[in-house]
Amino acid sequence: MTPTVDALRSTLDGRWADVRSSVREQMSRFRPVDPDLSREEYRAKVLELVHELAATGQPHTGFSPDHGGKGDVGGVVTAFQALGYGDLSLLVKAGVQWGLFGGAVQVLGTERHHGRYLRQIMDGELLGCFAMTETGHGSDVQHLRTTATYDPATEEFVIDTPEPGARKDYIGNAARDGRMAVVFAQLVTRVEAHGADARSAGASHGVDARSAGASHGVHAFLVPIRDDAGAAMPGIEIGDCGHKAGLNGVDNGRLTFRSVRVPREALLNRFADVSADGTYSSSIENEGRRFFTMLGTLVRGRISVAGGAGSAAQKALALAVRYGERRRQFADPGTGQETAILDYRAHQRKLLPALATTYALQFAQDDLVAEMHRLQAPQADQQGARPDERAQRDLESRAAGVKAIGTWHATHTIQTCREACGGAGYLSENLLPQLKADTDVFTTFEGDNTVLLQLLAKNLLSNYGKGVQKLSPLGLARFLGGQALDAAAERTGVNKLPRRIPGRGFRPRDRAEQRRLLADRAEHLLAGVARRLRPALKKGADQFGIFNAAQDHLLDAARAHVDVLVFDAFVAGIGRAADPAVKALLETVCDLHALATIERDRAWYLEHGRLTAAETRSVVAAVNALCAELRPHARLLVDGFGIPEGWIACPLLEDPAAESGATTSVPEMVG
Amino acid sequence: MTPTVDALRSTLDGRWADVRSSVREQMSRFRPVDPDLSREEYRAKVLELVHELAATGQPHTGFSPDHGGKGDVGGVVTAFQALGYGDLSLLVKAGVQWGLFGGAVQVLGTERHHGRYLRQIMDGELLGCFAMTETGHGSDVQHLRTTATYDPATEEFVIDTPEPGARKDYIGNAARDGRMAVVFAQLVTRVEAHGADARSAGASHGVDARSAGASHGVHAFLVPIRDDAGAAMPGIEIGDCGHKAGLNGVDNGRLTFRSVRVPREALLNRFADVSADGTYSSSIENEGRRFFTMLGTLVRGRISVAGGAGSAAQKALALAVRYGERRRQFADPGTGQETAILDYRAHQRKLLPALATTYALQFAQDDLVAEMHRLQAPQADQQGARPDERAQRDLESRAAGVKAIGTWHATHTIQTCREACGGAGYLSENLLPQLKADTDVFTTFEGDNTVLLQLLAKNLLSNYGKGVQKLSPLGLARFLGGQALDAAAERTGVNKLPRRIPGRGFRPRDRAEQRRLLADRAEHLLAGVARRLRPALKKGADQFGIFNAAQDHLLDAARAHVDVLVFDAFVAGIGRAADPAVKALLETVCDLHALATIERDRAWYLEHGRLTAAETRSVVAAVNALCAELRPHARLLVDGFGIPEGWIACPLLEDPAAESGATTSVPEMVG
């Protein structure tokens, strides 16, 4: 029983199906732009599209209802994801404007910022930047070097770039279109002794600010960078990052501040404020915790990037699978007919496991979006109460993990799809080159993937903090692994079972067996890391050396944890499917995803006695069989993504024989 | 004892060191061009560079001394490889002009073509195309559809594109600059009955040509495509492939032929000819063998692409390693100092095994070039005698394998290097984007990598042909594997030892142990494939089904075979090193390469009882230890490639703190 494409799509569309439909209808005119445009033309075109997008009212939906939005946080991220089928420069520029810039004003600002700016931001009248990354500090943003020093004499902050490495870099919207920027800087207030003589004490600012004042860590400030005519404001030097691998419709630039003065109210003061006399106050006392609370509210950016990466992978697979069905090469010696390249096992191996994992990631992404919506949508925000910190931290961890795994998967999948289309896949007219080039940076922006996985692993370890120090290594292991994964197991109905005995009745396509293998690995890796890192807690330990020696282990533990989350999300998603034919097909896709994941790590399962050699070979055989089983449904599976035809139409999908009437007719007589 | 960079470079430079030096000196002005050039400007710029290159006299060296060349086949390919440090559009356009177009005229043509064209081709006065690939047939070129039908009435060939899928596609030099093309087409002569009435019989040409005439398979023809003014010749339609992922300085185009007439002498007739009356003759009777002999002479293209890919990977590693040493992120809690990112194990894991394999591939490449030189340089060509067919076929196999493994390695390595440089790696000013985009097609042009590995595997199997059918499976296995690898073992002095007993005294850094593991795997995989494919020889067998079920196995066998070849080349190269410090360093690099290869396939070694779990873990530990051991030499190792500084200078390599005098000085007083 084969499901209809509509039934499959509707299952995939999930909770925000209406948003997806409206994006498909409203926005399919935003298809990829001509790759031959010059950089300036491309930027101008994308700016035009940003304004068109604002005119649809779609970007408003994510903002607070108090200021003309709809508070539909999940909806706006889902829409963003669907935009990923179109031009990715538009996606990213929209993400900078409404997600990062607008999002920071909404989430880190208070009414004094909201009333004045949100409407203009939603309407695209005020374009802005999110100026966090510096030339010298990208991953370690807690230690960025830009300073904002409060001057009580004028009730202003003075923003400075104290050294070339503190220049804000790669900032979207900065090189051409932005009028304001949310600037992240070390907030410094003068120590009282210097308060009376603020102006002359200014000479001691900059890198040595802490010696002359009190530093309170990184905070965000709203800084005008251009006047209405587009000229840089006094004291602001604006550079252009120039040509990039992709996303050339986005104007990334560099900002240097030379004693730029902004009023005291420019501080986005939801979590901390400075009074007129220079007294600093915050509802969160610990500086590190305050910083991560601020950063955490921006989790939406990471979730959005993961979503955009998913759409890009889906689009690449739609192109490669349809080409693989149409393209024939080498005659079958039995029939004399040329074989469709997707009928070759090697070709199926390239595309179908990647397709199955793309399905799995779509469900994981939907879970993330739903959880973010639950935590961030206005109805959840009870009169400005602090968000549920534990749930928020958990969401950040999952977002970090899914973003890392999802964007690497996209990069790898798009590369594979390009190769699977041969020379045709290298031509820009066939869309894959742009897709590859545009998404390539997804693995390192909005958090470098390796750093994100470390963040995830550290959160997993620290969630349980001091409480577990008393446990034996084994007890610790069970505790750590169990806590992190049991909740999910309950949610998906796949119960946690005792570890299997290798060599006994292995059933690769048993869902509980798959979960046991994945979860067992995640638990074991995490416990091992915990054990290896424990000596670092001792006084005088070589913390860096201990951490560094375990770093690959730590990253494996994080990856394995995400594997379980993604698997669980897939299983839960199948559980929600109403149509039995859809359910049956998705069960097969889930088998392929799970077994391809286990196959990839089969050395680990062998090394740790979880699977025998005969069992890992049966995993390989099952992956092959599943590829053959899903081959007839490959087209249906890519059609299920519901990518508007207008966004993928290209010569690659056309049969050259259909191009003209000549086809197999006899050519004209020779002169 | 650390070697000097000069000693290391001189070892790597090898036999054609003088050619490399002269390219470094002469051509370092050909650095990558401005990525903001429009497509037309870029094409014009690259054409200009092609003429400059011709003026150096360098491209002449590969051609026959009889016509002004030097017959230095190995030297010209080495020079081509060194050009890979510069602009890759120039590399590819030069490759099309002198390697493919000029090479085809030299190798497939005879004196009547050489005398008339070679000088002009060498000088770049006559620019040409290599028109093999068609829209519908890229990999299966034996079945391409363009026809060249001999018309004895006028003593001409009539070239036709009988259907849209037969259009020549992706042809370099076609869209803008080429004046002639070597066109590959099915050669058809009329059957005698129709000879007298040639003109009216022309109506039955095209796809049905074989019914009206005798088809002799694919041959090459020299066809003018543009007049001196640049207008398309009558009957020739020229299209433009437009914008591509990379290599936009190369004008790839499409050619359609509408009854284009060329004289009988346009046939490149080294291996076959048609007399004035239409009688076909060839020194090679079998059509398939004739075709592969013609293709085989063009092996230079594949070897050149592998070389270009190697240079690109080297350049990417030079950028990423130097950035990794300079870039610091996150403070070491012990010292408070920020850590250089290359000091992190995860970062070393990304770059250093790739660097080791890049070394290994360089030696494998040099072996290929030397063998090609031995077979193809004029002194080897005794009065037009047919080349040593066995040696030629062996070279083709090795070229196919090294090209496939080398270009995949380059794609993967450049991607990794881009990510290892974060946002900076995404900016075109830092060279990595262009490197990635330009080389991406290397995996699928000059033979799709998957198809090439199949070709290699089939050659390995068929070399031994019918003689082995009588052997038992085990005997077959030993025979196949042994024959293919024993010669190499003798050459490198690493003797073939009996299979090791797992669990007993494993020494991961023992060279013989490493080879035994690699060779054992290659033998076992090949024997297994042979066994699985044997039933296909039976009458009535489902040949496609049997082949397809074993396809992934076949590809693994090919890859494993190349792993052994590459390892052996590295070991032999170390043996040639004169400087003991160089030798010692290379031994460590070779350990890392070999063990990273074994680590990658450790599931196989476990599944097949070749290594115990404790042993594979010791392989992983050894890879980690080797990364740490080579870390202090990373800069030396990339400097050893001898890439001229002018070709890699970019902001990525500059310390931002050194950019201005401001650095850590106190900023100006605040207003």
Side-chain angles (χ1 to χ4, degrees), chain A residues 36 39 135 137 199 203 261 327 338 345 415 418 440 549 607 666 669, chain B residues 36 39 135 137 199 203 338 345 415 418 440 549 616 666 669-670:
Chain A
D36 261 331
R39 186 152 49 89
T135 304
H137 286 84
R199 281 176 185 256
R261 292 187 159 256
R327 174 79 171 176
E338 289 184 304
R345 173 166 287 175
Q415 178 74 36
R418 197 304 284 165
D440 196 40
E607 281 170 345
V666 176
M669 174 48 208
Chain B
D36 262 330
R39 185 150 52 87
T135 304
H137 287 84
R199 277 172 190 256
E338 292 184 310
R345 173 167 286 176
Q415 179 74 36
R418 197 304 283 164
D440 195 42
T616 58
V666 176
M669 175 49 207
V670 167

mmCIF file of all heavy atoms in Angstrom, chain A residues 36 39 135 137 199 203 261 327 338 345 415 418 440 549 607 666 669, chain B residues 36 39 135 137 199 203 338 345 415 418 440 549 616 666 669-670:
data_model
loop_
_atom_site.group_PDB
_atom_site.id
_atom_site.type_symbol
_atom_site.label_atom_id
_atom_site.label_comp_id
_atom_site.label_asym_id
_atom_site.label_seq_id
_atom_site.Cartn_x
_atom_site.Cartn_y
_atom_site.Cartn_z
ATOM 1 N N ASP A 36 24.588 35.092 -12.451
ATOM 2 C CA ASP A 36 25.510 35.987 -13.159
ATOM 3 C C ASP A 36 25.388 37.439 -12.714
ATOM 4 O O ASP A 36 26.120 38.299 -13.208
ATOM 5 C CB ASP A 36 25.284 35.886 -14.672
ATOM 6 C CG ASP A 36 26.309 34.966 -15.318
ATOM 7 O OD1 ASP A 36 27.431 34.870 -14.788
ATOM 8 O OD2 ASP A 36 25.982 34.345 -16.341
ATOM 9 N N ARG A 39 27.919 41.294 -7.656
ATOM 10 C CA ARG A 39 27.657 41.316 -6.224
ATOM 11 C C ARG A 39 26.722 42.455 -5.852
ATOM 12 O O ARG A 39 25.766 42.257 -5.084
ATOM 13 C CB ARG A 39 29.001 41.450 -5.486
ATOM 14 C CG ARG A 39 28.904 41.340 -4.017
ATOM 15 C CD ARG A 39 30.199 40.796 -3.422
ATOM 16 N NE ARG A 39 31.373 41.489 -3.902
ATOM 17 C CZ ARG A 39 31.881 42.581 -3.322
ATOM 18 N NH1 ARG A 39 31.306 43.108 -2.270
ATOM 19 N NH2 ARG A 39 32.971 43.140 -3.811
ATOM 20 N N THR A 135 36.772 39.967 14.774
ATOM 21 C CA THR A 135 37.827 39.326 13.995
ATOM 22 C C THR A 135 38.601 38.328 14.857
ATOM 23 O O THR A 135 38.909 37.222 14.424
ATOM 24 C CB THR A 135 38.785 40.392 13.434
ATOM 25 O OG1 THR A 135 38.003 41.325 12.669
ATOM 26 C CG2 THR A 135 39.855 39.782 12.555
ATOM 27 N N HIS A 137 37.566 37.086 17.945
ATOM 28 C CA HIS A 137 36.757 36.202 18.781
ATOM 29 C C HIS A 137 35.434 35.877 18.109
ATOM 30 O O HIS A 137 34.560 36.723 17.979
ATOM 31 C CB HIS A 137 36.522 36.815 20.171
ATOM 32 C CG HIS A 137 37.741 36.761 21.010
ATOM 33 N ND1 HIS A 137 38.728 37.712 20.946
ATOM 34 C CD2 HIS A 137 38.194 35.807 21.888
ATOM 35 C CE1 HIS A 137 39.716 37.376 21.767
ATOM 36 N NE2 HIS A 137 39.429 36.230 22.345
ATOM 37 N N ARG A 199 35.854 62.467 32.633
ATOM 38 C CA ARG A 199 36.447 62.751 31.328
ATOM 39 C C ARG A 199 37.936 62.459 31.270
ATOM 40 O O ARG A 199 38.413 61.823 30.344
ATOM 41 C CB ARG A 199 36.155 64.195 30.935
ATOM 42 C CG ARG A 199 34.733 64.268 30.417
ATOM 43 C CD ARG A 199 34.234 65.648 30.078
ATOM 44 N NE ARG A 199 32.838 65.501 29.718
ATOM 45 C CZ ARG A 199 32.382 65.537 28.472
ATOM 46 N NH1 ARG A 199 33.197 65.774 27.478
ATOM 47 N NH2 ARG A 199 31.114 65.351 28.220
ATOM 48 N N ALA A 203 40.972 58.214 29.438
ATOM 49 C CA ALA A 203 42.201 57.782 28.779
ATOM 50 C C ALA A 203 42.596 56.374 29.173
ATOM 51 O O ALA A 203 43.355 55.719 28.486
ATOM 52 C CB ALA A 203 43.331 58.743 29.116
ATOM 53 N N ARG A 261 29.496 57.542 20.911
ATOM 54 C CA ARG A 261 28.654 57.794 22.082
ATOM 55 C C ARG A 261 27.193 57.485 21.788
ATOM 56 O O ARG A 261 26.659 57.907 20.769
ATOM 57 C CB ARG A 261 28.796 59.254 22.520
ATOM 58 C CG ARG A 261 30.177 59.519 23.071
ATOM 59 C CD ARG A 261 30.341 60.893 23.672
ATOM 60 N NE ARG A 261 31.482 60.847 24.571
ATOM 61 C CZ ARG A 261 31.370 60.800 25.907
ATOM 62 N NH1 ARG A 261 30.192 60.854 26.480
ATOM 63 N NH2 ARG A 261 32.464 60.731 26.641
ATOM 64 N N ARG A 327 18.095 9.716 -15.500
ATOM 65 C CA ARG A 327 19.373 9.544 -16.163
ATOM 66 C C ARG A 327 19.692 8.061 -16.324
ATOM 67 O O ARG A 327 19.668 7.301 -15.352
ATOM 68 C CB ARG A 327 20.457 10.199 -15.312
ATOM 69 C CG ARG A 327 21.891 9.988 -15.792
ATOM 70 C CD ARG A 327 22.225 10.902 -16.916
ATOM 71 N NE ARG A 327 23.639 10.902 -17.276
ATOM 72 C CZ ARG A 327 24.113 11.597 -18.302
ATOM 73 N NH1 ARG A 327 23.312 12.344 -19.042
ATOM 74 N NH2 ARG A 327 25.399 11.556 -18.591
ATOM 75 N N GLU A 338 19.446 0.704 -21.337
ATOM 76 C CA GLU A 338 20.308 1.415 -20.403
ATOM 77 C C GLU A 338 19.621 1.509 -19.047
ATOM 78 O O GLU A 338 18.407 1.668 -18.960
ATOM 79 C CB GLU A 338 20.624 2.802 -20.940
ATOM 80 C CG GLU A 338 21.569 2.759 -22.146
ATOM 81 C CD GLU A 338 21.979 4.132 -22.625
ATOM 82 O OE1 GLU A 338 21.102 4.937 -22.938
ATOM 83 O OE2 GLU A 338 23.187 4.388 -22.689
ATOM 84 N N ARG A 345 23.215 -0.048 -7.085
ATOM 85 C CA ARG A 345 23.337 -0.070 -5.624
ATOM 86 C C ARG A 345 24.225 1.065 -5.112
ATOM 87 O O ARG A 345 23.908 1.698 -4.102
ATOM 88 C CB ARG A 345 23.908 -1.411 -5.155
ATOM 89 C CG ARG A 345 24.202 -1.384 -3.661
ATOM 90 C CD ARG A 345 24.450 -2.745 -3.098
ATOM 91 N NE ARG A 345 23.219 -3.507 -3.007
ATOM 92 C CZ ARG A 345 23.165 -4.772 -2.625
ATOM 93 N NH1 ARG A 345 24.279 -5.413 -2.333
ATOM 94 N NH2 ARG A 345 22.024 -5.392 -2.549
ATOM 95 N N GLN A 415 26.819 17.927 -1.142
ATOM 96 C CA GLN A 415 28.022 17.533 -1.885
ATOM 97 C C GLN A 415 27.781 16.218 -2.645
ATOM 98 O O GLN A 415 28.102 16.088 -3.829
ATOM 99 C CB GLN A 415 29.188 17.350 -0.900
ATOM 100 C CG GLN A 415 30.503 16.899 -1.535
ATOM 101 C CD GLN A 415 31.176 18.015 -2.295
ATOM 102 O OE1 GLN A 415 31.121 19.165 -1.886
ATOM 103 N NE2 GLN A 415 31.782 17.698 -3.427
ATOM 104 N N ARG A 418 25.463 16.750 -5.571
ATOM 105 C CA ARG A 418 26.176 17.404 -6.683
ATOM 106 C C ARG A 418 26.937 16.341 -7.472
ATOM 107 O O ARG A 418 26.833 16.271 -8.695
ATOM 108 C CB ARG A 418 27.144 18.443 -6.112
ATOM 109 C CG ARG A 418 27.695 19.500 -7.063
ATOM 110 C CD ARG A 418 28.409 19.015 -8.287
ATOM 111 N NE ARG A 418 29.764 18.519 -8.060
ATOM 112 C CZ ARG A 418 30.429 17.790 -8.951
ATOM 113 N NH1 ARG A 418 29.899 17.441 -10.125
ATOM 114 N NH2 ARG A 418 31.633 17.358 -8.683
ATOM 115 N N ASP A 440 27.367 26.288 2.812
ATOM 116 C CA ASP A 440 28.650 25.813 3.324
ATOM 117 C C ASP A 440 29.009 26.449 4.661
ATOM 118 O O ASP A 440 29.606 25.809 5.533
ATOM 119 C CB ASP A 440 29.740 26.111 2.290
ATOM 120 C CG ASP A 440 30.997 25.329 2.561
ATOM 121 O OD1 ASP A 440 30.885 24.150 2.929
ATOM 122 O OD2 ASP A 440 32.088 25.895 2.429
ATOM 123 N N ALA A 549 42.895 15.713 25.938
ATOM 124 C CA ALA A 549 43.100 14.291 25.640
ATOM 125 C C ALA A 549 41.769 13.571 25.443
ATOM 126 O O ALA A 549 41.692 12.559 24.749
ATOM 127 C CB ALA A 549 43.892 13.634 26.775
ATOM 128 N N GLU A 607 33.931 -3.077 18.873
ATOM 129 C CA GLU A 607 34.979 -2.870 19.879
ATOM 130 C C GLU A 607 34.438 -3.008 21.302
ATOM 131 O O GLU A 607 35.167 -3.407 22.202
ATOM 132 C CB GLU A 607 35.594 -1.474 19.728
ATOM 133 C CG GLU A 607 36.599 -1.378 18.592
ATOM 134 C CD GLU A 607 37.032 0.053 18.293
ATOM 135 O OE1 GLU A 607 36.364 0.997 18.747
ATOM 136 O OE2 GLU A 607 38.028 0.213 17.585
ATOM 137 N N VAL A 666 14.794 10.939 -38.283
ATOM 138 C CA VAL A 666 15.938 10.888 -39.192
ATOM 139 C C VAL A 666 16.410 12.312 -39.483
ATOM 140 O O VAL A 666 15.621 13.173 -39.812
ATOM 141 C CB VAL A 666 15.508 10.194 -40.496
ATOM 142 C CG1 VAL A 666 16.644 10.212 -41.505
ATOM 143 C CG2 VAL A 666 15.065 8.771 -40.189
ATOM 144 N N MET A 669 18.811 15.570 -44.754
ATOM 145 C CA MET A 669 19.762 15.083 -45.770
ATOM 146 C C MET A 669 20.993 15.981 -45.799
ATOM 147 O O MET A 669 20.918 17.180 -45.627
ATOM 148 C CB MET A 669 19.046 15.063 -47.127
ATOM 149 C CG MET A 669 19.934 14.708 -48.295
ATOM 150 S SD MET A 669 20.956 13.234 -47.984
ATOM 151 C CE MET A 669 22.331 13.619 -49.052
ATOM 152 N N ASP B 36 35.514 38.994 -8.049
ATOM 153 C CA ASP B 36 34.396 39.865 -8.430
ATOM 154 C C ASP B 36 34.335 40.135 -9.926
ATOM 155 O O ASP B 36 33.437 40.841 -10.388
ATOM 156 C CB ASP B 36 34.481 41.195 -7.667
ATOM 157 C CG ASP B 36 33.575 41.190 -6.441
ATOM 158 O OD1 ASP B 36 32.544 40.494 -6.487
ATOM 159 O OD2 ASP B 36 33.900 41.875 -5.461
ATOM 160 N N ARG B 39 31.733 37.026 -15.438
ATOM 161 C CA ARG B 39 32.117 35.811 -16.145
ATOM 162 C C ARG B 39 32.905 36.149 -17.414
ATOM 163 O O ARG B 39 33.946 35.543 -17.692
ATOM 164 C CB ARG B 39 30.858 35.008 -16.466
ATOM 165 C CG ARG B 39 31.087 33.685 -17.086
ATOM 166 C CD ARG B 39 29.992 32.691 -16.730
ATOM 167 N NE ARG B 39 28.661 33.216 -16.997
ATOM 168 C CZ ARG B 39 28.029 33.126 -18.172
ATOM 169 N NH1 ARG B 39 28.617 32.532 -19.176
ATOM 170 N NH2 ARG B 39 26.830 33.619 -18.340
ATOM 171 N N THR B 135 25.435 15.244 -23.798
ATOM 172 C CA THR B 135 24.424 15.473 -22.761
ATOM 173 C C THR B 135 23.918 14.145 -22.208
ATOM 174 O O THR B 135 23.747 13.975 -21.009
ATOM 175 C CB THR B 135 23.257 16.290 -23.346
ATOM 176 O OG1 THR B 135 23.790 17.496 -23.899
ATOM 177 C CG2 THR B 135 22.235 16.623 -22.282
ATOM 178 N N HIS B 137 25.437 11.047 -22.675
ATOM 179 C CA HIS B 137 26.460 10.052 -22.361
ATOM 180 C C HIS B 137 27.734 10.717 -21.894
ATOM 181 O O HIS B 137 28.438 11.339 -22.671
ATOM 182 C CB HIS B 137 26.740 9.142 -23.563
ATOM 183 C CG HIS B 137 25.619 8.171 -23.788
ATOM 184 N ND1 HIS B 137 24.494 8.502 -24.506
ATOM 185 C CD2 HIS B 137 25.416 6.915 -23.329
ATOM 186 C CE1 HIS B 137 23.648 7.471 -24.500
ATOM 187 N NE2 HIS B 137 24.175 6.499 -23.794
ATOM 188 N N ARG B 199 24.383 10.197 -51.992
ATOM 189 C CA ARG B 199 23.641 11.363 -51.543
ATOM 190 C C ARG B 199 22.222 11.028 -51.100
ATOM 191 O O ARG B 199 21.776 11.451 -50.059
ATOM 192 C CB ARG B 199 23.625 12.428 -52.630
ATOM 193 C CG ARG B 199 24.910 13.209 -52.545
ATOM 194 C CD ARG B 199 25.154 14.176 -53.645
ATOM 195 N NE ARG B 199 26.526 14.621 -53.502
ATOM 196 C CZ ARG B 199 26.858 15.836 -53.004
ATOM 197 N NH1 ARG B 199 25.925 16.665 -52.631
ATOM 198 N NH2 ARG B 199 28.115 16.148 -52.880
ATOM 199 N N ALA B 203 19.720 10.087 -46.217
ATOM 200 C CA ALA B 203 18.520 10.233 -45.397
ATOM 201 C C ALA B 203 18.414 9.166 -44.311
ATOM 202 O O ALA B 203 17.712 9.343 -43.340
ATOM 203 C CB ALA B 203 17.282 10.194 -46.284
ATOM 204 N N GLU B 338 45.216 32.237 25.805
ATOM 205 C CA GLU B 338 44.340 31.587 24.835
ATOM 206 C C GLU B 338 45.146 30.550 24.060
ATOM 207 O O GLU B 338 46.336 30.729 23.780
ATOM 208 C CB GLU B 338 43.737 32.624 23.883
ATOM 209 C CG GLU B 338 42.760 33.541 24.601
ATOM 210 C CD GLU B 338 42.071 34.508 23.657
ATOM 211 O OE1 GLU B 338 42.767 35.170 22.867
ATOM 212 O OE2 GLU B 338 40.838 34.578 23.699
ATOM 213 N N ARG B 345 43.042 18.762 20.232
ATOM 214 C CA ARG B 345 43.072 17.455 19.586
ATOM 215 C C ARG B 345 42.069 17.363 18.425
ATOM 216 O O ARG B 345 42.377 16.808 17.371
ATOM 217 C CB ARG B 345 42.787 16.349 20.596
ATOM 218 C CG ARG B 345 42.647 15.001 19.914
ATOM 219 C CD ARG B 345 42.666 13.856 20.880
ATOM 220 N NE ARG B 345 44.014 13.629 21.368
ATOM 221 C CZ ARG B 345 44.311 12.732 22.302
ATOM 222 N NH1 ARG B 345 43.348 12.006 22.856
ATOM 223 N NH2 ARG B 345 45.555 12.549 22.684
ATOM 224 N N GLN B 415 37.200 20.999 1.990
ATOM 225 C CA GLN B 415 36.008 21.275 2.805
ATOM 226 C C GLN B 415 36.382 21.389 4.277
ATOM 227 O O GLN B 415 35.965 22.326 4.972
ATOM 228 C CB GLN B 415 34.993 20.137 2.609
ATOM 229 C CG GLN B 415 33.719 20.286 3.429
ATOM 230 C CD GLN B 415 32.797 21.359 2.876
ATOM 231 O OE1 GLN B 415 32.698 21.525 1.666
ATOM 232 N NE2 GLN B 415 32.168 22.111 3.749
ATOM 233 N N ARG B 418 38.284 24.575 4.938
ATOM 234 C CA ARG B 418 37.364 25.731 4.959
ATOM 235 C C ARG B 418 36.725 25.817 6.345
ATOM 236 O O ARG B 418 36.715 26.879 6.978
ATOM 237 C CB ARG B 418 36.303 25.542 3.876
ATOM 238 C CG ARG B 418 35.494 26.740 3.450
ATOM 239 C CD ARG B 418 34.743 27.497 4.519
ATOM 240 N NE ARG B 418 33.528 26.871 4.973
ATOM 241 C CZ ARG B 418 32.903 27.213 6.102
ATOM 242 N NH1 ARG B 418 33.368 28.146 6.887
ATOM 243 N NH2 ARG B 418 31.816 26.575 6.474
ATOM 244 N N ASP B 440 35.712 21.166 -7.146
ATOM 245 C CA ASP B 440 34.582 20.287 -6.841
ATOM 246 C C ASP B 440 34.262 19.341 -7.997
ATOM 247 O O ASP B 440 33.850 18.198 -7.786
ATOM 248 C CB ASP B 440 33.363 21.154 -6.508
ATOM 249 C CG ASP B 440 32.270 20.364 -5.831
ATOM 250 O OD1 ASP B 440 32.603 19.541 -4.963
ATOM 251 O OD2 ASP B 440 31.096 20.555 -6.164
ATOM 252 N N ALA B 549 24.412 -6.431 -7.073
ATOM 253 C CA ALA B 549 24.410 -6.838 -5.663
ATOM 254 C C ALA B 549 25.818 -6.768 -5.075
ATOM 255 O O ALA B 549 25.988 -6.625 -3.869
ATOM 256 C CB ALA B 549 23.847 -8.245 -5.527
ATOM 257 N N THR B 616 42.369 -2.553 17.647
ATOM 258 C CA THR B 616 41.846 -1.372 16.931
ATOM 259 C C THR B 616 41.885 -0.153 17.845
ATOM 260 O O THR B 616 42.129 0.958 17.386
ATOM 261 C CB THR B 616 40.418 -1.584 16.392
ATOM 262 O OG1 THR B 616 39.536 -1.900 17.466
ATOM 263 C CG2 THR B 616 40.375 -2.671 15.344
ATOM 264 N N VAL B 666 46.342 52.703 24.006
ATOM 265 C CA VAL B 666 45.146 53.271 24.630
ATOM 266 C C VAL B 666 44.357 54.100 23.609
ATOM 267 O O VAL B 666 44.945 54.927 22.918
ATOM 268 C CB VAL B 666 45.566 54.164 25.813
ATOM 269 C CG1 VAL B 666 44.348 54.859 26.418
ATOM 270 C CG2 VAL B 666 46.291 53.339 26.848
ATOM 271 N N MET B 669 40.959 59.750 23.691
ATOM 272 C CA MET B 669 40.047 60.245 24.739
ATOM 273 C C MET B 669 38.667 60.487 24.140
ATOM 274 O O MET B 669 38.520 60.903 23.020
ATOM 275 C CB MET B 669 40.629 61.540 25.323
ATOM 276 C CG MET B 669 39.746 62.239 26.326
ATOM 277 S SD MET B 669 39.092 61.143 27.611
ATOM 278 C CE MET B 669 37.595 62.023 28.006
ATOM 279 N N VAL B 670 37.725 60.188 24.980
ATOM 280 C CA VAL B 670 36.314 60.240 24.591
ATOM 281 C C VAL B 670 35.796 61.665 24.694
ATOM 282 O O VAL B 670 36.024 62.325 25.701
ATOM 283 C CB VAL B 670 35.575 59.300 25.562
ATOM 284 C CG1 VAL B 670 34.091 59.518 25.459
ATOM 285 C CG2 VAL B 670 35.959 57.868 25.260
#
